Amino acid sequence: METPTMKPDTVLILDFGSQYTHLITRRIRSLNVFSLVLSGTSSLKQISSHNPRVVILSGGPHSVHAHDAPSFPEGFVEWAEGNGVHVLGICYGLQLIVQRLGGVVVEGESKEYGKMEIEVKGGESEIFGKGRVGEKQVVWMSHGDEALKLPDGFEVVAQSAQGAVAALENRGRRIYGLQYHPEVTHSPKGMETLKHFLFDVCGVSADWKMEDLMEEEIKVINNTVAADEHVICALSGGVDSTVAATLVHKAIGDRLHCIFVDNGLLRYKEQERVMDTFERDLHLPVTCVDASEQFLSQLKGVVDPETKRKIIGKEFINIFDQFAHELEKKHGKKPAFLVQGTLYPDVIESCPPPGTDRTHSHTIKSHHNVGGLPKDMKLKLIEPLKLLFKDEVRELGRILNVPVGFLKRHPFPGPGLAVRVLGDVTQGNALEVLRQVDEIFIQSIRDAGLYDSIWQAFAVFLPVRSVGVQGDKRTHSHVVALRAVTSQDGMTADWFNFEHKFLDDVSRKICNSVQGVNRVVQDITSKPPSTIEWE
């Protein structure tokens, strides 16, 4: 499905593998400016097709001296100058600018990592603003190489306490560079610098609104789906697929046919609760298909997380194909499209996803609706949320009048409990035990008034047993882990700090109520280094 046509004030980020690339995108969007990420090695045609007002070259783990170091395409600088495009290099992006334009980058004698102090130097800097010479600020550095000699026409406008180039610019060519990361909170004045750069230096307008994206997506859907064609939507019961379905329904009406699949990997009473919400509150036409046996038989004996995800993705598509055949009998034409609630973080974490050419960051996990899709899938995808983060999806849902209570639901992974039962999900009564534990944990969170303060909370069934004492008898039973995190977009997360009494109460409830569990542990790991889900 094509990407919506955006306004000229798009800020394009060329990604060279930095862990902070998504954060640059988020920071810019928070200023009501649309930003989009492309691979740093995208072709000039791909870059220019987005008609950006500004291009930001991200950081990355590479050295510009490496033989396979990624770089922007030939002719990029000339194109930018000829079209009045402002260019900002961040960290590795600054070093690329220096090297490609005739300067010299060397391995620094002293590496700069973490918080460092810089001082604004030189004349009247554009990137920092007038009257800032001599001003000092703390920034977040993360680099080993440094610029030794600048290309002709460039000047140093900030230096680190160690004397390294911290910022440079060539005002005539509209090219700028920051050796530090302004997008992270560890650079307290970073957002101020980005805001000044975008609005005062580049003249970008802060006029991007979610309503604009909604209207653009509706146009794309109507241009993609012919007037006599029907569309299938995979509803999971989560926020993403529900908002996607509501948006597509707004575009094509009754030609949208929703399907909710019970894959045997749902939470406690999830099917009845979700179907009731669809019918009572959302008024979406939904067909429920119970395919528990089909999924669980395919997962029997499977322990590898990636294999689980790909099996589940394939089985979902098989069911959707079968549903499409049934609709063909009823309407005389087989649906050609499948709507999915794929989000931007799904695409980023499943990289390199189809069609994006992202080659300089690692695949974290294959999301069942991105990397897990079979290559021979017959249905064409419609993914109206693929450029959005979770909080933006919730904002779009509010505009579409999706009930607020539904929008506040915690994320639930497409593969369901398959990625929360470590190992073979069909062994013993692991799924039933996990459902009961998870229900107690989530209900306790609700009762404590903490649900809306937490991004995501769930239980995990561990493939180990521990010795315990219950009813004066020795037990050798299951261990479960509790996980709760806070986050803004799911790309990074911190563990939620419960009060000890809450954890004590929950642990007692679980061990007293769920047969076969005698030990409860808590996951207190942030993302990174871990992911939110265990698999």
Side-chain angles (χ1 to χ4, degrees):
M1 185 179 177
E2 61 184 293
T3 299
T5 303
M6 294 300 168
K7 294 184 176 181
D9 284 358
T10 294
V11 175
L12 196 61
I13 300 166
L14 297 188
D15 177 25
F16 293 104
S18 170
Q19 60 179 314
Y20 302 126
T21 298
H22 73 279
L23 197 52
I24 305 173
T25 312
R26 294 291 297 114
R27 296 289 186 252
I28 294 173
R29 290 187 185 186
S30 72
L31 297 172
N32 295 113
V33 176
F34 186 75
S35 62
L36 187 66
V37 176
L38 285 186
S39 166
T41 55
S42 295
S43 68
L44 188 56
K45 182 179 180 181
Q46 288 174 307
I47 294 170
S48 61
S49 68
H50 292 277
N51 192 25
R53 185 73 170 269
V54 180
V55 175
I56 295 178
L57 311 178
S58 86
H62 313 276
S63 167
V64 293
H65 301 298
H67 74 279
D68 59 347
S71 183
F72 48 77
E74 291 294 334
F76 167 76
V77 173
E78 293 77 10
W79 165 81
E81 291 184 87
N83 289 276
V85 177
H86 290 74
V87 178
L88 172 64
I90 294 177
C91 199
Y92 178 80
L94 175 147
Q95 295 164 14
L96 270 182
I97 289 171
V98 172
Q99 186 201 55
R100 290 289 302 270
L101 272 62
V104 177
V105 176
V106 298
E107 183 177 351
E109 292 184 7
S110 299
K111 315 298 183 184
E112 293 185 322
Y113 300 110
K115 290 184 178 180
M116 301 285 292
E117 187 178 73
I118 66 169
E119 181 178 347
V120 179
K121 299 282 188 180
E124 292 296 336
S125 164
E126 273 198 340
I127 198 166
F128 291 108
K130 294 182 178 180
R132 295 296 183 92
V133 175
E135 180 182 283
K136 295 182 179 180
Q137 59 177 276
V138 174
V139 300
W140 186 261
M141 294 281 194
S142 182
H143 67 100
D145 291 348
E146 63 180 60
L148 179 65
K149 178 184 177 183
L150 301 191
D152 292 341
F154 283 78
E155 64 175 305
V156 178
V157 293
Q159 284 184 307
S160 72
Q162 296 183 161
V165 174
L168 55 79
E169 59 185 46
N170 185 320
R171 293 184 284 277
R173 301 179 71 177
R174 302 186 186 87
I175 302 177
Y176 308 80
L178 298 173
Q179 187 57 73
Y180 63 92
H181 290 275
E183 69 274 17
V184 302
T185 55
H186 300 301
S187 297
K189 291 190 175 182
M191 274 301 289
E192 179 185 326
T193 301
L194 276 176
K195 187 175 181 180
H196 169 75
F197 175 71
L198 292 174
F199 298 142
D200 299 326
V201 177
C202 305
V204 170
S205 298
D207 59 359
W208 179 68
K209 303 185 296 296
M210 191 57 65
E211 289 86 352
D212 295 336
L213 181 73
M214 180 182 73
E215 294 302 326
E216 289 288 349
E217 285 290 354
I218 288 174
K219 289 179 184 176
V220 169
I221 293 166
N222 284 324
N223 289 336
T224 303
V225 182
D228 62 340
E229 287 185 312
H230 292 258
V231 176
I232 293 173
C233 180
L235 281 177
S236 67
V239 175
D240 308 332
S241 62
T242 301
V243 173
T246 305
L247 179 61
V248 176
H249 190 258
K250 184 178 178 67
I252 66 172
D254 293 340
R255 289 184 290 128
L256 173 69
H257 307 275
C258 298
I259 177 173
F260 175 77
V261 180
D262 185 344
N263 57 5
L265 302 165
L266 301 180
R267 290 170 291 192
Y268 183 77
K269 293 187 177 180
E270 181 81 351
Q271 182 190 127
E272 54 194 271
R273 290 172 176 174
V274 166
M275 289 300 296
D276 183 56
T277 299
F278 287 151
E279 294 170 7
R280 185 187 68 244
D281 298 327
L282 299 175
H283 311 295
L284 287 173
V286 184
T287 299
C288 181
V289 175
D290 188 341
S292 303
E293 292 186 12
Q294 180 175 334
F295 277 84
L296 295 179
S297 65
Q298 291 296 317
L299 290 169
K300 187 175 179 60
V302 178
V303 297
D304 178 67
E306 280 292 284
T307 304
K308 286 183 188 178
R309 288 175 176 272
K310 292 183 183 299
I311 287 173
I312 292 167
K314 182 179 179 181
E315 289 307 310
F316 268 123
I317 296 303
N318 289 339
I319 290 172
F320 300 151
D321 281 339
Q322 183 179 346
F323 185 54
H325 282 298
E326 293 173 1
L327 288 173
E328 182 180 16
K329 295 177 184 176
K330 183 177 181 181
H331 297 285
K333 188 168 186 178
K334 185 178 179 181
F337 297 93
L338 171 66
V339 177
Q340 289 199 141
T342 307
L343 302 193
Y344 212 17
D346 296 340
V347 174
I348 292 171
E349 287 197 339
S350 296
C351 71
T356 62
D357 298 321
R358 297 183 79 241
T359 57
H360 299 289
S361 52
H362 295 274
T363 298
I364 306 301
K365 60 180 70 170
S366 293
H367 288 261
H368 78 289
N369 56 345
V370 184
L373 295 177
K375 294 179 180 179
D376 59 348
M377 188 177 74
K378 300 178 180 65
L379 295 165
K380 291 175 282 188
L381 287 180
I382 294 178
E383 298 173 301
L385 312 180
K386 69 179 181 296
L387 300 180
L388 301 181
F389 292 94
K390 176 71 77 171
D391 56 324
E392 294 172 328
V393 172
R394 289 191 169 113
E395 181 184 347
L396 177 59
R398 283 189 286 271
I399 295 171
L400 291 166
N401 295 318
V402 175
V404 173
F406 196 87
L407 293 175
K408 289 183 176 180
R409 294 192 81 195
H410 289 179
F412 185 64
L417 299 183
V419 293
R420 293 179 181 175
V421 172
L422 306 192
D424 185 351
V425 302
T426 66
Q427 273 199 338
N429 62 339
L431 284 169
E432 186 54 37
V433 167
L434 181 58
R435 287 189 181 100
Q436 294 179 46
V437 172
D438 189 75
E439 178 71 7
I440 292 172
F441 184 36
I442 300 302
Q443 190 57 51
S444 297
I445 289 173
R446 290 186 185 278
D447 293 343
L450 299 174
Y451 190 83
D452 291 345
S453 300
I454 296 172
W455 165 270
Q456 191 171 359
F458 55 91
V460 180
F461 184 92
L462 305 182
V464 294
R465 291 177 181 264
S466 72
V467 172
V469 178
Q470 292 173 298
D472 294 327
K473 295 181 180 180
R474 176 188 184 276
T475 60
H476 189 224
S477 301
H478 301 298
V479 182
V480 293
L482 306 181
R483 175 90 158 134
V485 298
T486 58
S487 180
Q488 184 178 40
D489 52 32
M491 293 301 297
T492 58
D494 291 319
W495 58 279
F496 186 81
N497 193 359
F498 290 108
E499 291 184 0
H500 288 179
K501 186 179 184 309
F502 174 87
L503 292 173
D504 181 46
D505 290 344
V506 170
S507 177
R508 291 175 187 274
K509 286 179 184 176
I510 291 171
C511 291
N512 290 339
S513 304
V514 183
Q515 187 174 0
V517 174
N518 69 359
R519 193 176 300 271
V520 179
V521 299
Q522 184 189 8
D523 180 349
I524 56 169
T525 320
S526 62
K527 175 186 179 180
S530 71
T531 55
I532 294 178
E533 297 287 346
W534 279 45
E535 290 191 342

